[in-house]
């Protein structure tokens, strides 16, 4: 045994200790599952916000986006301890000779660096985003989206390379090749399960109100004016004066003809009350009772009919979130409201007073607040 | 299996290449920031976190009796997992100016309580049925400590 090998044995207890393919492949299976769920749900959220021509997102069940986006954030949280454990289980390989080696060795190391770098990047930026912390220059949504392809791509290449090893390791007994009575692989897997599930419980309450009180690390406790948290305040959007202007009126353009509706005129139209969740891209969601005018009724009152997508413009004109396009399927759904009240009270200014859009199964960022103009074709 | 592996590799390379083209649409300053965060993730893990974790494991094995290793490893894993997801909220209560509905908990207290719960569960499980965590038979447990450790 060379001195380097002896040192490796002492430091990493490999071979003989818990590290090895039998452990790494089992943790990898759990991590891979979380990563695929996270990637698919993230892709759905991206497509809802930037719909390709072939994409169609249903209005039922109304909680569908709440579910998929809650799952996106939760699977990402679950993946944090899984990734740390996976890296722990193979860390000794970083020091395996030859440390530099030939071109094949360098390529292998470079591909692992891309895999590790992109995974850490995705989980770190996602975790910081749900806590609204942006200590970087790049724009989070586009970068997180782009890097997701690099991460899922390098995971897929890694599976392709390791498939024979993984198959052999998953077919072997968990403790195969263990030399002594130290920490068993079973204990390590138990530790990983404890770490991943406690991280999930500590955050998932922002998506699952039943366990809210247990989620001591959730960026949202679920509290807020009228029982609903806020992402962007009226002050941050710079719309306070415009929203409270006594001459405020909502412009509705149908077939090129504009009509205006003062708040009293909106209140005089037939009102509906629906229970719909508001579900943020950051994973938190809250169900609430909204009342107001159906978009179909409002367009009818303006002398038209919903035949295509409907666009919504906020009083907020700076930034990219002051505008949204509602697909025809959602616009035609009678539960899609221009809401005037939330949980029985006139909308709080931070929830979009005088009126806001609320539609079933859509990201909160597209539920435009402080509406100024609606355009139907 | 070779066909599946080749297919996976091609799909993987295609996805990653698409991701790179999406990234390259950004301006140079943003790209530099992406590169810094990408590299920093690897350096912080491989150069700081992993050596510390390895050193902690090495020290623990030298100092602590062998029968404690498994329960302590489980508790330590739970602690690290919770601490990792606490990083972006810890010390940032009320950090988003003007919005009291985000970062609206006492996260220091929250993290401490969650860690305490993990260790309490590990302790109780170990007291009730030690073999549940260690997975070792009584014969293994009575074996003298390995001098190599």
């Amino acid at each position: 045994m060379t001195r380097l090998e002896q040192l490796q044995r002492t430091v990493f207890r490999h071979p003989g200790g818990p590290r090895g393919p039998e452990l790494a492949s089992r943790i990898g299976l759990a991590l891979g599952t979380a990563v695929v769920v996270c990637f698919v749900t993230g892709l759905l959220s991206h497509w809802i916000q930037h719909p390709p021509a072939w994409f169609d997102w249903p209005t039922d069940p109304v909680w569908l986006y709440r579910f998929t986006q809650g799952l996106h954030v939760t699977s990402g949280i679950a993946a944090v301890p899984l990734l740390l454990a996976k890296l722990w289980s193979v860390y000794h390989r970083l020091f395996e000779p030859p440390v530099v080696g030939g071109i094949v060795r360098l390529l292998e190391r470079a591909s692992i660096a891309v895999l590790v770098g992109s995974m850490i990047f995705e989980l770190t930026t996602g975790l910081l985003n749900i806590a609204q912390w942006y200590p970087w220059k790049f724009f989070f949504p586009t970068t997180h989206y782009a890097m997701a392809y690099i991460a899922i791509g390098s995971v897929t290449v890694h599976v392709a390379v390791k498939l024979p090893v993984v198959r052999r390791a998953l077919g072997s007994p968990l403790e195969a090749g263990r030399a002594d009575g130290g920490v068993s692989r079973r204990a390590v897997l138990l530790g990983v399960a404890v770490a991943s599930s406690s991280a999930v419980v500590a955050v998932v309450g922002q998506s699952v109100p039943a366990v809210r009180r247990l989620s001591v690390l959730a960026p949202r406790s679920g509290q807020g004016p009228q029982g609903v948290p806020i992402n962007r305040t009226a002050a941050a959007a710079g719309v306070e004066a415009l929203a409270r202007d006594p001459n405020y009126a909502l412009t509705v353009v149908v077939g090129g003809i504009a009509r205006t509706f003062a708040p009293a005129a909106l209140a005089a139209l037939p009102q509906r009350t629906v229970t719909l969740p508001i579900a943020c891209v950051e994973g938190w969601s809250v169900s609430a009772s909204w009342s107001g005018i159906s978009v179909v009724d409002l367009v009818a009152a303006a002398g038209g009919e919903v035949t295509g997508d409907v666009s919504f413009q906020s009083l907020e004109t700076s930034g990219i979130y002051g505008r949204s396009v509602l697909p025809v399927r959602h616009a035609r759904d009678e539960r899609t409201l221009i809401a005037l009240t939330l949980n029985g009270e006139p909308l709080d200014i931070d929830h979009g007073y005088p009126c806001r859009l609320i539609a079933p199964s859509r990201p909160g960022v597209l539920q435009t607040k402080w509406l100024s103009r609606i355009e139907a074709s | 299996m070779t066909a599946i592996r080749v297919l996976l590799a091609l799909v993987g390379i295609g996805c990653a290449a698409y991701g790179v083209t999406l990234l390259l649409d950004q301006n140079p300053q943003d790209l530099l920031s992406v590169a810094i965060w990408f590299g920093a993730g690897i350096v912080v893990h491989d150069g700081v976190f992993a050596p510390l974790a390895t050193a902690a494991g090495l020290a623990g094995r030298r100092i602590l009796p062998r029968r404690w290793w498994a329960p302590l490893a489980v508790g330590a894993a739970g602690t690290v997992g919770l601490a990792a997801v606490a990083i972006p909220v810890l010390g940032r209560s009320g950090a988003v100016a003007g919005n009291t509905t985000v970062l609206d908990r006492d996260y220091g207290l929250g993290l401490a309580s969650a860690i305490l719960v993990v260790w309490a569960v590990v302790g109780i499980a170990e007291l009730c049925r030690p073999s549940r965590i260690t997975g070792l038979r009584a014969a293994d447990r009575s074996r003298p400590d390995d001098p190599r450790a």
Side-chain angles (χ1 to χ4, degrees):
Chain A
M1 199 187 286
T2 66
R3 288 191 60 177
L4 184 68
E5 279 169 343
Q6 250 171 352
L7 191 68
Q8 290 230 344
R9 232 192 149 101
T10 312
V11 175
F12 299 114
R13 288 168 65 74
H14 182 82
R19 286 181 168 95
E22 290 78 10
L23 181 67
S25 58
R26 283 167 172 89
I27 301 172
L29 198 60
L31 177 60
T33 307
V35 166
V36 168
V37 169
C38 205
F39 180 73
V40 171
T41 48
L43 209 52
L44 284 175
S45 184
H46 178 85
W47 284 334
I48 295 168
Q49 293 172 73
H50 307 277
W54 53 267
F55 185 74
D56 197 9
W57 183 247
T59 56
D60 273 300
V62 295
W63 46 262
L64 188 59
Y65 183 74
R66 173 185 207 177
F67 175 76
T68 62
Q69 195 60 12
L71 197 58
H72 178 68
V73 171
T74 306
S75 55
I77 296 284
V80 171
L82 291 174
L83 178 65
L84 290 177
K86 178 69 173 67
L87 293 176
W88 178 87
S89 72
V90 294
Y91 184 55
H92 61 280
R93 302 210 54 190
L94 189 61
F95 305 97
E96 257 172 23
V99 175
V100 181
I103 185 78
V104 175
R105 177 71 169 156
L106 280 174
L107 270 176
E108 188 198 342
R109 294 211 160 214
S111 74
I112 296 293
V114 173
L115 171 65
V116 173
S118 59
M119 280 301 304
I120 295 177
F121 187 95
E122 283 301 270
L123 294 183
T124 309
T125 55
L127 198 61
L128 264 60
N129 174 62
I130 67 167
Q132 299 205 348
W133 191 11
Y134 306 101
W136 48 65
K137 277 209 158 62
F138 52 84
F139 182 51
F140 169 77
T142 49
T143 312
H144 193 67
Y145 173 70
M147 193 66 83
Y149 281 103
I150 301 178
I152 199 79
S154 48
V155 167
T156 310
V157 170
H158 187 63
V159 171
V161 172
K162 297 290 179 189
L163 200 55
V165 178
V166 171
R167 279 180 55 146
R168 198 164 49 238
L170 290 179
S172 316
L174 177 59
E175 309 292 347
R178 288 273 288 105
D180 58 47
V183 176
S184 63
R185 292 196 181 114
R186 193 184 114 113
V188 175
L189 284 183
L190 186 66
V192 174
V194 165
S196 192
S197 48
S198 46
V200 164
V201 171
V203 181
V204 77
Q206 63 171 3
S207 319
V208 183
V211 294
R212 218 176 241 180
R213 296 177 65 89
L214 295 178
S215 294
V216 290
L217 300 177
R220 306 271 179 170
S221 69
Q223 307 292 317
Q226 302 169 330
V228 176
I230 299 156
N231 227 26
R232 193 159 170 77
T233 61
V239 297
E240 278 174 307
L242 288 169
R244 294 195 202 278
D245 184 346
N247 295 321
Y248 166 86
L250 175 66
T251 304
V252 181
V253 183
V254 178
I257 299 162
R259 286 180 182 77
T260 56
F261 293 83
L266 288 173
L269 290 170
Q271 306 288 304
R272 270 176 215 275
T273 302
V274 294
T275 301
L276 290 177
I278 181 112
C280 184
V281 288
E282 288 160 18
W284 64 267
S285 56
V286 170
S287 191
S289 171
W290 310 83
S291 50
I293 313 101
S294 280
V295 167
V296 267
D297 290 345
L298 182 63
V299 171
E305 204 182 328
V306 175
T307 54
D309 296 352
V310 179
S311 68
F312 294 79
Q313 174 66 51
S314 171
L315 293 170
E316 178 188 7
T317 48
S318 61
I320 56 169
Y321 299 119
R323 207 179 161 275
S324 70
V325 175
L326 190 68
V328 61
R329 179 196 286 272
H330 286 75
R332 277 192 175 147
D333 194 302
E334 289 178 336
R335 295 165 299 182
T336 298
L337 300 185
I338 304 305
L340 304 176
T341 80
L342 166 54
N343 289 334
E345 294 170 20
L347 278 179
D348 186 277
I349 185 125
D350 288 330
H351 287 312
Y353 173 86
C355 62
R356 77 171 300 167
L357 171 64
I358 184 81
S361 190
R362 298 266 290 165
V365 70
L366 300 178
Q367 313 273 31
T368 308
K369 301 198 276 191
W370 314 292
L371 288 172
S372 71
R373 188 181 171 93
I374 300 175
E375 268 184 71
S377 51
Chain B
M1 191 159 72
T2 311
I4 295 172
R5 291 178 70 194
V6 169
L7 190 70
L8 281 173
L10 289 176
V11 169
I13 290 167
C15 271
Y18 178 61
V20 170
T21 63
L22 290 178
L23 271 186
L24 291 178
D25 284 343
Q26 308 197 4
N27 68 49
Q29 288 95 327
D30 287 3
L31 264 182
L32 179 66
S33 181
V34 172
I36 290 170
W37 276 81
F38 186 97
I42 300 175
V43 169
V44 169
H45 177 270
D46 287 3
V48 181
F49 176 78
L52 285 177
T54 305
L58 193 63
R61 292 197 303 269
R62 302 246 150 173
I63 299 164
L64 302 163
R66 180 168 291 248
R67 68 196 147 78
W68 290 10
W69 290 3
L72 289 181
V74 173
T79 306
V80 169
L82 284 166
V85 298
I87 290 171
V89 292
L90 211 56
R92 292 190 67 247
S93 298
V96 178
N99 188 349
T100 53
T101 72
V102 61
L103 300 167
D104 57 349
R105 286 178 185 267
D106 182 342
Y107 295 107
L109 183 68
L111 178 63
S113 344
I115 290 173
L116 209 66
V117 169
V118 165
W119 283 102
V121 170
V122 169
I124 291 166
E126 183 63 12
L127 284 177
C128 292
R129 226 185 94 189
S131 62
R132 188 175 294 167
I133 291 180
T134 59
L136 298 177
R137 294 182 303 274
D140 290 330
R141 295 171 55 75
S142 59
R143 221 164 56 175
D145 284 2
D146 182 349
R148 272 186 302 140

